[in-house]
Amino acid sequence: MKELKTVNKPVRKKDAMQLLTGQPVYTDDLIKEPCLIIKLLRSPHANAIVKEIHTEKALALEGIEAVFTYKDIDQDQERYTIAGTSFPEFAPYDRLIIDRHVRYVGDVVAIVVGKDEKTVGKAMKLIDVEYEVLDAVLDFRQALDNKTIVHPESNWKLPVDTGADVKRNLLAKESSSMGDIDEVLKKCRYVVDRTYHTKATQQCHMEPFTTFCEIDPYGRLHITSSTQIVFHIRHIVANALHIPKSMIRVSKPRVGGGFGAKQTAVSEVYAAFVCYRLKKACKLVFTRKECFTASSPRHEMQMHVRIGADENGIIKGIDLHTLSNTGAYGEHGPTTVGLSGHKSIPLYGKQEAYRFTGEVVYTNHMSSGAYRGFGATQGLFAVESAVNELASLMNTDPIELRLKNIVKEGEIMPAYFNEPLTSCTLDKCLIRAGEMIGWKEKGQRRILDNGKIRSLGVAIAMQGSGISAVDVGSATLKLNEGGFYSLIVGSADMGTGSDTTLSQVAAEVLDCDLDHIQVFSADTDISPYDSGSYASSTAYVTGKAVERCAMKLREKIIKAGAKTLECDPEKCEFDGNTVFCEDKAVSLIDIAYTSMVFNNEALEVSVSNSSPTSPPPFMAGTCELETDPETGECKVIEYAGVVDCGTPLNPNLTRIQTEGGIMQGIGMALSEDISYGVKGNVIENSFMEYKIPTRMDVGKISVEFEPSYEDLGPFGAKSIGEVVINTTAPAIQEAVYQACGKRFYELPIKAEDIALAKDREEK
Amino acid sequence: MRIELNINSRKVCADIDPDMTLQKFLREKKYYSVKCGCETSNCGACSVLLDGKPVLSCSVLAVRAQGYRIETLEGLKEEAEEIGAFIADEGADQCGFCNPGFMIAAIALFREDPEPSDEKIRIYLSGNLCRCSGYEGQMRGLIKYRDQRRTA
């Protein structure tokens, strides 16, 4: 292979210095005055009907422009979804902009619009609402066939059959299997049979959900928003407002983090509705409290795992049943549950049978959505914890047990849609992660002189690279005056640096400096179609589109050069600066000029790309914990992660992705919790209560790569963004067990749980 | 009420409500580097310097800032570029939303102690949350910046 000049190099993000010097690049920095302020009055009840709502006093306040209630929304019209997904949508159409029936604490009761925040805040307090409070479904284990139906309305609609039975609160169900799992498990010498519970967790993107809307010079609705999915937002808003898609333009400036949260139109519809109604510019910025209580967190799941191995330590089968809590609305419920099985079971390649069954239920909790890992994180917590317990049961080393059983390159993965495993270095990742933490030297448990316990844990993980045969990534490249290129994409760099990595791919193919690629993303009026930045798709799906697009533009440049040189394009070569033909040559700059004078052939190419498969990236993670047996306090001393993401397109950025994923996983394992009060209100509604790791909490994070080469990816690349969050919780769970002798089957595992478990044991 | 503030060495006068926070005031005056990430004094994204000391502008009333020298990142471009280059070289800027608050704290730290220990860096910046980076890249950048200054 040719030596890489730009790809696989740790170059700076193209926007780095703008971000680090605090330039105004986010949605709320770019609003135009005058701009109306929108705030949402939210329900204090988990399930209620608005009997009456009085807005007169609020409307009488000077500076209040409008107050919208359910009376402004035809309650019988077609409903819509705010999930960003490709056609056909697996998400139910179960929302109205303002529904008379509110279904969780935080559901919208009124939209208040005024000249400034203070006035709007005052007006909110002047609105009187009378509710008929109904019983609420607050435990997802009791949702199915509950006497309370979360969506009793007649205009609830499902674009695609998900196996739903809405009168039973069942949103979706699915199953897949191979062989007779009951029979196989019966024959196993060792079986672990456990039920795991992961709660909802919050993405905590530092930039809150923010949307600005204005009417453009053509009378169209222009939405500027902090989103991962500009094209899906256009679709969603058109459905919600019942207006033609041609009347909507969606752009995203810099996005202050997403992690999946912004794959759902959490804030956009309200601002779009107000702007289109009033024909005035307006903005909606969520408070952090709203981000915690009325957003789109990870699905709470309960997973029942049965896993069996024979006397030789061969894992013969996994049986997994997942119950998922979608909350009050469906959104990503039908699509997340499957990943809990499809991205955990295939890790073990010697199974004779497997079964995965999943059910998704409605409750009166805040609606769930997409969060990094998207169901795989939950499933892997369960399956990997069970594998660790299996190793204990067999009295064998959990790394050795895995090395004996993991899937290998070249094998078919029955539980992963029978896709072939075309690239994989998971075995190397696992060995290296063990070495990095000092697995053999330290042993899994040792007591320090001060009485604290050091313990080790391990887990492995996979994810996908885009959604097979669904996701579309596209790129447009054009040659400009002076010989620089414009790269235009529709994927959303939400801080990952994808604008830069995609530019690296283009620069590599076009043999130019990275500075010669000027990148733009993303705008529905300008960008070629892209499903959006989610499902670990950007590097792999859009990246390949960029590679193919750049190859085509290369050919065009050579052709244009050949025309100038009056020779056969077949005999021409292009080195990035000059097209040569034997002893004749023409510069790229001159080719660019030529294209601007008496020219009928645009030096511009657009390419769309989809993949029939979703090659999984892999990761092995090991951790060293220090537990204080007196207080239960448990600190991560070191976390070692080794990743196979194919070719790392930019080693700096893949490293940071991994470090960030591990950090979020530490939060999920040890401190981040969403609990509900008796009335169905989220208790952890600020950073005071919802404890994400600070830099004092993460210990040392060590990251390495064991690159494989994925032929279908750009320069051998697979995805990186999601797989990196998946090993942390099960590895920590194992280390906690090693430290205190108790296995925890629910996250997060808090110091008080560890301390109390010990106390209970002593009594 | 009428206030007169010294922001990045410029006099700014305005009529404000007494309960207006410095964070809201600065954004209203288009100092957009000042972010709002929480409202509960937890995230550090709204950090500014008050007489050289980093404070959370969401927890300071605008009126209370009278008589102090207020510096936002807009007024600290040179230092931000100098330190920021080391963060950029690690790819640790990421989404960037926490960067201005983080840079303010980092600038204050290095003014106060040109050779802080790793532990001191960690403690000094512990109030600046970042959800992208896992903090390691930011640490690598600051350590390299410190070490390069030592040898320079």
Side-chain angles (χ1 to χ4, degrees):
Chain A
M1 206 180 72
K2 210 176 103 182
E3 201 194 322
L4 297 170
K5 282 194 265 184
T6 311
V7 161
N8 195 231
K9 298 289 181 276
V11 300
R12 272 187 195 181
K13 274 171 74 223
K14 279 177 159 285
D15 51 356
M17 291 314 291
Q18 292 293 97
L19 302 181
L20 284 158
T21 55
Q23 302 306 309
V25 293
Y26 304 93
T27 301
D28 196 27
D29 306 338
L30 300 168
I31 57 149
K32 290 170 207 155
E33 303 287 353
C35 176
L36 293 169
I37 302 297
I38 304 169
K39 283 190 172 291
L40 305 173
L41 182 70
R42 297 177 179 280
S43 165
H45 303 293
N47 195 19
I49 307 287
V50 176
K51 276 168 70 181
E52 195 43 78
I53 181 161
H54 303 281
T55 59
E56 302 79 8
K57 279 186 253 168
L59 279 165
L61 208 62
E62 197 207 319
I64 288 299
E65 188 87 13
V67 178
F68 298 103
T69 68
Y70 76 87
K71 294 170 189 170
D72 298 288
I73 304 290
D74 173 5
Q75 299 288 302
D76 298 320
Q77 69 184 313
E78 180 166 287
R79 289 172 177 259
Y80 67 96
T81 179
I82 58 169
T85 76
S86 291
F87 183 84
E89 292 159 293
F90 279 80
Y93 283 17
D94 57 5
R95 288 214 184 226
L96 293 173
I97 296 173
I98 307 173
D99 200 324
R100 192 172 187 180
H101 183 173
V102 287
R103 292 181 179 79
Y104 72 97
V105 176
D107 218 349
V108 172
V109 175
I111 305 173
V112 189
V113 191
K115 63 170 184 180
D116 58 43
E117 238 185 279
K118 207 161 187 184
T119 310
V120 176
K122 256 186 223 162
M124 304 251 283
K125 293 189 183 127
L126 296 174
I127 297 172
D128 291 324
V129 193
E130 293 170 43
Y131 294 96
E132 179 193 345
V133 180
L134 308 171
D135 287 341
V137 184
L138 296 175
D139 181 348
F140 77 129
R141 299 172 192 93
Q142 284 161 21
L144 209 57
D145 297 316
N146 195 295
K147 65 181 190 331
T148 298
I149 300 169
V150 178
H151 282 276
E153 67 277 9
S154 59
N155 54 350
W156 183 91
K157 188 181 129 180
L158 205 56
V160 173
D161 183 19
T162 59
D165 186 347
V166 74
K167 299 287 179 269
R168 299 182 59 208
N169 289 327
L170 178 65
L171 170 62
K173 61 175 181 197
E174 72 170 271
S175 62
S176 61
S177 63
M178 175 187 78
D180 187 339
I181 185 70
D182 292 319
E183 202 50 41
V184 166
L185 287 178
K186 216 182 280 170
K187 284 190 204 145
C188 284
R189 168 125 178 233
Y190 305 98
V191 175
V192 169
D193 181 335
R194 293 292 180 193
T195 300
Y196 300 84
H197 179 210
T198 55
K199 297 187 209 168
T201 45
Q202 286 286 359
Q203 297 87 348
C204 298
H205 37 82
M206 295 310 294
E207 181 199 21
F209 297 103
T210 305
T211 303
F212 167 69
C213 290
E214 63 187 322
I215 300 297
D216 81 359
Y218 304 99
R220 296 162 76 219
L221 174 62
H222 184 186
I223 302 167
T224 303
S225 196
S226 181
T227 179
Q228 303 171 220
I229 46 161
V230 288
F231 287 97
H232 291 334
I233 294 290
R234 183 173 68 186
H235 172 89
I236 291 163
V237 168
N239 278 358
L241 270 55
H242 299 278
I243 62 174
K245 296 183 176 77
S246 60
M247 290 303 290
I248 303 167
R249 172 181 177 189
V250 186
S251 345
K252 67 115 212 123
R254 290 296 97 184
V255 174
F259 315 111
K262 294 168 183 174
Q263 191 197 335
T264 300
V266 174
S267 58
E268 286 84 355
V269 171
Y270 305 107
F273 169 76
V274 169
C275 181
Y276 204 73
R277 274 287 179 100
L278 302 179
K279 300 284 185 270
K280 287 181 181 173
C282 55
K283 74 167 179 179
L284 172 58
V285 183
F286 271 36
T287 61
R288 183 55 64 179
K289 187 179 172 189
E290 286 177 300
C291 291
F292 275 119
T293 55
S295 50
S296 193
R298 187 185 294 291
H299 288 81
E300 177 183 32
M301 289 187 185
Q302 175 175 282
M303 289 141 294
H304 178 204
V305 184
R306 292 194 302 152
I307 180 166
D310 69 9
E311 55 287 357
N312 301 316
I314 300 299
I315 294 173
K316 293 289 189 182
I318 301 173
D319 186 14
L320 172 64
H321 175 261
T322 301
L323 177 69
S324 173
N325 179 4
T326 192
Y329 297 97
E331 273 104 65
H332 298 282
T335 45
T336 35
V337 68
L339 276 75
S340 67
H342 303 313
K343 295 197 163 90
S344 58
I345 298 169
L347 283 171
Y348 297 95
K350 296 190 164 64
Q351 295 176 71
E352 287 170 6
Y354 84 89
R355 178 168 59 198
F356 169 68
T357 48
E359 281 161 347
V360 188
V361 290
Y362 276 121
T363 62
N364 293 108
H365 281 174
M366 142 176 62
S367 166
S368 293
Y371 178 7
R372 193 179 213 169
F374 202 78
T377 313
Q378 296 94 310
L380 282 160
F381 168 65
V383 169
E384 283 301 285
S385 296
V387 170
N388 284 328
E389 191 163 349
L390 186 67
S392 290
L393 186 68
M394 296 165 61
N395 207 11
T396 189
D397 181 287
I399 291 185
E400 294 302 323
L401 176 67
R402 285 182 173 85
L403 284 172
K404 212 186 256 190
N405 284 284
I406 50 174
V407 68
K408 302 227 155 48
E409 195 170 293
E411 293 176 357
I412 300 287
M413 297 176 285
Y416 194 60
F417 316 106
N418 281 315
E419 287 189 15
L421 184 51
T422 42
S423 56
C424 177
T425 59
L426 180 57
D427 50 346
K428 287 187 191 164
C429 294
L430 195 45
I431 291 166
R432 187 64 198 131
E435 287 169 0
M436 285 163 71
I437 209 78
W439 188 267
K440 282 185 184 145
E441 308 83 81
K442 289 176 183 165
Q444 266 195 279
R445 182 179 203 269
R446 69 210 147 93
I447 300 172
L448 304 183
D449 291 343
N450 60 10
K452 291 185 181 180
I453 302 164
R454 289 280 179 104
S455 60
L456 306 184
V458 61
I460 55 174
M462 62 182 279
Q463 195 77 34
S465 298
I467 307 172
S468 3
V470 174
D471 283 343
V472 176
S474 306
T476 296
L477 267 167
K478 57 179 179 176
L479 176 65
N480 299 301
E481 180 178 356
F484 79 96
Y485 302 96
S486 300
L487 170 63
I488 305 157
V489 291
S491 57
D493 186 339
M494 61 193 115
T496 58
S498 62
D499 281 354
T500 304
T501 47
L502 295 174
S503 300
Q504 287 176 261
V505 171
E508 189 69 49
V509 176
L510 290 163
D511 272 315
C512 68
D513 286 347
L514 189 59
D515 292 345
H516 289 203
I517 308 285
Q518 299 305 330
V519 63
F520 175 86
S521 72
D523 186 318
T524 54
D525 272 12
I526 298 163
S527 305
Y529 180 78
D530 196 292
S531 315
S533 287
Y534 59 88
S536 288
S537 62
T538 305
Y540 176 76
V541 182
T542 310
K544 193 71 184 178
V546 172
E547 185 191 3
R548 288 176 47 212
C549 184
M551 302 279 281
K552 280 199 173 175
L553 185 61
R554 250 192 102 88
E555 284 168 26
K556 270 200 156 184
I557 290 166
I558 290 176
K559 244 174 145 174
K563 197 175 159 196
T564 305
L565 300 175
E566 295 176 332
C567 51
D568 180 2
E570 298 285 313
K571 288 187 186 144
C572 291
E573 271 177 52
F574 176 50
D575 70 354
N577 290 314
T578 313
V579 172
F580 301 93
C581 181
E582 286 155 7
D583 58 341
K584 292 187 286 188
V586 57
S587 73
L588 184 65
I589 292 171
D590 284 340
I591 293 172
Y593 279 133
T594 313
S595 75
M596 297 162 71
V597 181
F598 193 46
N599 172 37
N600 294 302
E601 182 68 38
L603 279 177
E604 179 172 336
V605 178
S606 287
V607 165
S608 285
N609 181 61
S610 276
S611 174
T613 58
S614 176
F618 294 92
M619 175 169 171
T622 51
C623 68
E624 178 169 6
L625 287 195
E626 184 173 291
T627 306
D628 183 336
E630 294 301 316
T631 62
E633 190 196 13
C634 153
K635 279 169 70 177
V636 178
I637 300 299
E638 183 174 0
Y639 199 98
V642 185
V643 185
D644 162 20
C645 61
T647 304
L649 291 175
N650 181 324
N652 266 358
L653 298 179
T654 47
R655 169 178 307 269
I656 297 269
Q657 283 289 310
T658 310
E659 291 165 346
I662 290 169
M663 176 271 287
Q664 292 186 355
I666 291 172
M668 182 183 179
L670 295 175
S671 61
E672 294 178 29
D673 197 6
I674 294 183
S675 56
Y676 281 83
V678 284
K679 284 187 162 175
N681 54 307
V682 172
I683 304 290
E684 294 81 5
N685 62 16
S686 77
F687 279 127
M688 213 92 80
E689 290 99 346
Y690 189 86
K691 297 185 189 306
I692 69 171
T694 71
R695 69 188 77 227
M696 306 304 286
D697 303 316
V698 291
K700 178 181 169 201
I701 301 176
S702 311
V703 172
E704 287 186 13
F705 292 89
E706 286 289 350
S708 62
Y709 193 91
E710 175 51 52
D711 282 333
L712 287 171
F715 297 96
K718 299 189 281 191
S719 79
I720 180 73
E722 293 186 277
V723 68
V724 292
I725 197 174
N726 292 338
T727 62
T728 323
I732 288 178
Q733 193 257 20
E734 164 71 5
V736 169
Y737 163 72
Q738 292 296 338
C740 73
K742 181 179 160 58
R743 289 198 182 272
F744 288 88
Y745 300 100
E746 184 177 79
L747 296 178
I749 307 166
K750 294 187 195 166
E752 54 263 42
D753 301 328
I754 296 172
L756 287 171
K758 190 181 129 274
D759 284 355
R760 242 175 263 131
E761 240 161 63
E762 281 168 2
K763 278 169 199 160
Chain B
M1 61 188 298
R2 184 128 189 105
I3 58 165
E4 188 184 307
L5 296 183
N6 173 346
I7 305 173
N8 298 334
S9 306
R10 296 178 81 157
K11 199 166 85 175
V12 179
C13 301
D15 277 311
I16 61 158
D17 288 335
D19 61 352
M20 181 174 240
T21 64
L22 181 60
Q23 190 272 340
K24 285 212 163 31
F25 180 79
L26 289 170
R27 279 198 71 84
E28 209 172 282
K29 294 293 165 198
K30 309 210 184 305
Y31 295 95
Y32 284 135
S33 73
V34 183
K35 304 298 184 201
C36 176
C38 68
E39 306 110 25
T40 50
S41 314
N42 292 114
C43 76
C46 65
S47 302
V48 298
L49 298 182
L50 225 56
D51 277 359
K53 290 258 181 288
V55 298
L56 299 174
S57 63
C58 75
S59 304
V60 177
L61 290 175
V63 61
R64 286 276 184 198
Q66 287 194 108
Y68 291 92
R69 246 177 333 107
I70 302 163
E71 288 171 282
T72 71
L73 208 58
E74 282 88 349
L76 298 162
K77 199 154 186 268
E78 228 166 86
E79 277 162 285
E81 280 175 352
E82 194 187 323
I83 301 176
F86 285 81
I87 306 299
D89 283 339
E90 300 297 327
D93 45 297
Q94 289 291 291
C95 88
F97 201 78
C98 75
N99 289 359
F102 165 81
M103 292 302 300
I104 287 279
I107 289 168
L109 165 65
F110 281 101
R111 281 182 182 178
E112 199 178 295
D113 179 356
E115 290 195 19
S117 66
D118 293 6
E119 192 55 13
K120 178 157 184 192
I121 297 175
R122 209 169 272 127
I123 292 169
Y124 200 98
L125 295 170
S126 61
N128 292 90
L129 297 179
C130 167
R131 191 60 163 172
C132 296
S133 74
Y135 304 109
E136 290 281 8
Q138 293 181 344
M139 279 302 290
R140 279 194 296 275
L142 293 181
I143 288 168
K144 283 181 189 170
Y145 172 68
R146 175 197 66 197
D147 295 348
Q148 151 306 135
R149 270 162 50 118
R150 197 180 279 163
T151 53

